[in-house]
């Protein structure tokens, strides 16, 4: 096969002959190759004159007065070339190289080669000639085409249509959900923005409340401080005054103003706090609420809260200890006397209980001012008891 292919190859283009023409020396070349030799710039190597051509193989001359197309066609060679080209178009077996597919397996509906039939997977299968099988199956393609042209052949068209409808519906649903997301969050943003403005307004009111509470107090204390500074400046200036009249007048004025300044009381400093705190509100209510409850969450009323001073306990000492001991002994003595004496009037008993409650109230607070109250009431009650006891002894 390789030798045959070599014999059918043009020595000029090194390809299989195409429309071979015979020169007078019996050598054949492609018609286009000969025309290119005449037209090329190097054609003079092969031309003796305008009407003669030198053979590329043997250097023999050939008359070409009317052109290459006038040279005779090598029909034998042309037929061989065409047969060779048709054979080259025949398919070869993929499993057995260089073996042509020259049989048709009726069982597997497949072209096979001789090796496939004898030793291959199609051994023993019924076969037919490809041309005969072609004639038998010639109408099959038309039937298959008609079947495939029917839109209900496999139902794939209806499936595609249903899937496209589902895709369209899903895309519409997604579009609606996107609109709902925009509306929902726009409304939520509006609610949150309104809540934010309400909180800021409430805190601004609280800030103004703080200013209204503390600014007058600070201004009042500043006036006292300014009076102190003014008096200090006057005292400093009076030290250098040489005129007795002016000095005495100035000193008198300074003393009067200092006496008035001492009478002014300083404002008490009480612990203060802001209540409620925003962070605690967010933690206790907002973070524990649902989204739909956000519009219903109230705006708290912020305010300034001053804590009352706690009563200071007096320091324990000999005087305090004596008062407590005497008080307890006296109460015990009176209780025993009332219990064992039937001569005590009910009126005195009632007075005793009332006075005792008046004494015990301040005593429970145990403050500096309350100790004086307890002592005073204790002394009065003691004198009253002695007077009543003395009247009973006279009886």
């Amino acid at each position: 096969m390789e030798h045959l292919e070599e014999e059918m190859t043009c020595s000029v283009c090194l390809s299989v002959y195409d429309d071979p023409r015979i020169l007078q020396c019996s050598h054949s070349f492609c018609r286009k190759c000969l025309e290119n030799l005449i037209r090329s710039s190097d054609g003079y190597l092969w031309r003796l004159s305008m009407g003669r051509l030198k053979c590329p193989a043997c250097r023999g001359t050939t008359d070409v007065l009317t052109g290459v197309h006038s040279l005779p066609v090598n029909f034998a060679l042309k037929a061989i070339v065409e047969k060779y080209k048709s054979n080259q178009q025949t398919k070869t077996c993929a499993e057995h190289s260089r073996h042509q597919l020259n049989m048709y397996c009726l069982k597997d509906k497949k072209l096979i080669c001789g090796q496939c039939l004898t030793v291959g997977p199609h051994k023993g299968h019924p076969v037919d000639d490809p041309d005969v099988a072609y004639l038998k199956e010639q109408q099959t393609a038309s039937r298959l085409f008609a079947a495939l042209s029917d839109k209900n052949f496999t139902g794939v068209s209806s499936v595609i249509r249903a899937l496209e409808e589902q895709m369209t519906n899903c895309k519409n649903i997604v579009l609606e959900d996107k609109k709902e997301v925009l509306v929902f969050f726009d409304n939520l943003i509006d609610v949150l923005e309104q809540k934010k403005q309400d909180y800021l307004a409430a805190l601004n009111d609280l800030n103004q409340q703080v200013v209204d509470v503390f600014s007058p107090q600070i201004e009042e204390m500043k006036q006292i401080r300014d009076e102190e500074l003014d008096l200090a400046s006057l005292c400093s200036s009076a030290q250098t005054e040489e005129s007795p009249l002016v000095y005495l007048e100035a000193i008198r004025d300074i003393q009067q103003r200092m006496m008035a300044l001492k009478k002014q009381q300083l404002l008490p400093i009480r612990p203060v706090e802001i209540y409620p705190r925003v962070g605690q509100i967010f933690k206790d209510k907002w973070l524990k609420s649902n989204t739909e409850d956000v519009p219903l969450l109230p705006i708290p009323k912020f305010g300034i809260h001053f804590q009352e001073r706690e009563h200071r306990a007096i320091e324990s000492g000999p005087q305090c200890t004596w008062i407590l001991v005497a008080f307890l002994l006296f109460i015990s003595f009176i209780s025993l006397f009332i219990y064992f004496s039937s001569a005590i009037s009910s009126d005195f008993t009632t007075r005793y209980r009332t006075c005792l409650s008046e004494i015990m109230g301040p005593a429970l607070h145990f403050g500096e001012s309350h100790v004086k109250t307890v002592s005073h009431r204790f002394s009065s009650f003691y004198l009253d008891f002695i007077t009543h006891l003395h009247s009973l002894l006279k009886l």
Side-chain angles (χ1 to χ4, degrees):
M1 182 65 68
E2 293 179 358
H3 180 70
L4 179 61
E5 184 176 352
E6 183 180 352
E7 293 296 330
M8 291 185 296
T9 300
C10 176
S11 60
V12 176
C13 65
L14 301 178
S15 299
V16 178
Y17 286 108
D18 181 20
D19 191 10
R21 300 302 175 102
I22 303 176
L23 299 180
Q24 293 179 357
C25 60
S26 300
H27 290 122
S28 297
F29 301 95
C30 298
R31 182 174 63 85
K32 291 183 179 181
C33 292
L34 296 175
E35 291 176 351
N36 291 334
L37 288 176
I38 294 175
R39 289 196 301 266
S40 66
S41 60
D42 296 334
Y44 68 91
L45 296 175
W46 311 103
R47 295 197 311 267
L48 295 177
S49 64
M50 292 301 297
R52 304 188 71 180
L53 178 64
K54 185 186 295 185
C55 175
C58 65
R59 303 295 191 273
T61 59
T62 301
D63 294 332
V64 288
L65 296 175
T66 57
V68 175
H69 64 277
S70 62
L71 295 174
V73 179
N74 191 340
F75 289 101
L77 181 58
K78 185 176 182 180
I80 296 173
V81 169
E82 291 178 355
K83 184 67 175 177
Y84 172 79
K85 289 182 178 180
S86 64
N87 291 334
Q88 286 296 106
Q89 294 177 355
T90 304
K91 294 183 178 180
T92 58
C93 182
E95 297 182 4
H96 308 93
S97 59
R98 295 189 176 275
H99 289 272
Q100 296 181 357
L101 299 174
N102 52 9
M103 287 177 285
Y104 183 74
C105 179
L106 298 175
K107 181 178 180 181
D108 297 329
K109 303 294 184 180
K110 184 178 180 182
L111 290 171
I112 61 175
C113 67
Q115 293 290 326
C116 293
L117 181 62
T118 56
V119 297
H122 300 276
K123 183 178 180 180
H125 291 183
V127 297
D128 201 350
D129 184 71
D131 294 334
V132 176
Y134 165 73
L135 294 175
K136 292 179 180 179
E137 299 290 340
Q138 195 170 10
Q139 300 300 323
T140 302
S142 300
R143 293 195 302 271
L144 294 176
F145 178 75
L148 291 173
S149 299
D150 185 4
K151 60 182 180 180
N152 296 322
F153 172 65
T154 59
V156 65
S157 298
S158 61
V159 172
I160 292 174
R161 185 168 56 254
L163 291 175
E164 288 177 347
E165 291 177 356
Q166 288 182 345
M167 182 180 69
T168 303
N169 293 334
C170 291
K171 291 176 69 175
N172 292 333
I173 292 174
V174 172
L175 184 60
E176 293 177 359
D177 287 348
K178 289 175 65 176
K179 292 180 180 178
E180 288 190 8
V181 167
L182 293 176
V183 172
F184 177 81
F185 281 99
D186 287 342
N187 294 335
L188 184 59
I189 289 173
D190 293 340
V191 172
L192 293 177
E193 181 65 25
Q194 184 62 43
K195 289 293 182 181
K196 183 181 75 172
Q197 297 301 328
D198 293 341
Y199 266 92
L200 292 178
L203 292 174
N204 289 334
D205 294 341
L206 176 62
N207 187 66
Q208 185 61 42
Q209 181 181 352
V210 171
V211 174
D212 294 341
V213 169
F214 285 99
S215 292
Q217 298 180 9
I218 295 174
E219 186 63 28
E220 182 180 354
M221 294 299 100
K222 284 184 178 180
Q223 291 178 1
I224 296 176
R225 185 188 62 183
D226 294 340
E227 180 68 10
E228 290 179 352
L229 295 176
D230 191 20
L231 290 175
S233 178
L234 291 176
C235 290
S236 177
S237 300
Q239 292 179 0
T240 59
E241 181 62 44
E242 297 180 355
S243 174
L245 296 178
V246 175
Y247 177 81
L248 293 175
E249 187 68 23
I251 289 297
R252 179 175 175 276
D253 181 61
I254 291 173
Q255 289 176 344
Q256 290 178 351
R257 290 175 61 179
M258 289 185 66
M259 291 177 61
L261 184 61
K262 287 183 178 180
K263 293 180 180 180
Q264 294 186 4
Q265 296 182 354
L266 299 181
L267 296 177
I269 302 300
R270 295 177 294 170
V272 63
E273 65 176 356
I274 301 297
Y275 182 83
R277 297 300 303 275
V278 173
Q280 195 64 35
I281 294 174
F282 289 160
K283 181 179 179 181
D284 295 341
K285 295 184 178 180
W286 281 72
L287 296 180
K288 297 179 180 179
S289 301
N290 297 324
T291 305
E292 59 270 14
D293 296 334
V294 171
L296 304 178
L297 292 175
I299 303 300
K301 186 176 181 181
F302 299 99
I304 305 175
H305 299 273
F306 290 93
Q307 298 179 3
E308 296 296 333
R309 280 188 170 182
E310 297 180 355
H311 297 288
R312 294 180 301 172
I314 61 174
E315 296 181 359
S316 60
Q319 183 181 3
C320 179
T321 304
W322 180 87
I323 292 174
L324 290 176
V325 172
F327 174 73
L328 294 176
L329 290 176
F330 178 74
I331 294 299
S332 301
F333 174 74
I334 290 186
S335 299
L336 293 174
F337 183 79
I338 293 174
Y339 179 76
F340 289 106
S341 176
S342 59
I344 301 295
S345 63
S346 60
D347 179 62
F348 180 78
T349 305
T350 303
R351 289 173 57 194
Y352 164 73
R353 292 177 179 176
T354 303
C355 188
L356 183 62
S357 63
E358 292 178 357
I359 295 174
M360 291 302 296
L364 293 175
H365 289 84
F366 203 62
E368 182 178 359
S369 60
H370 297 97
V371 170
K372 297 179 180 179
T373 304
V374 171
S375 301
H376 177 70
R377 292 181 180 177
F378 175 73
S379 300
S380 299
F381 182 57
Y382 178 75
L383 293 175
D384 192 10
F385 173 73
I386 295 300
T387 304
H388 188 74
L389 182 61
H390 180 68
S391 62
L392 291 177
L393 294 176
K394 290 182 178 180
L395 297 176

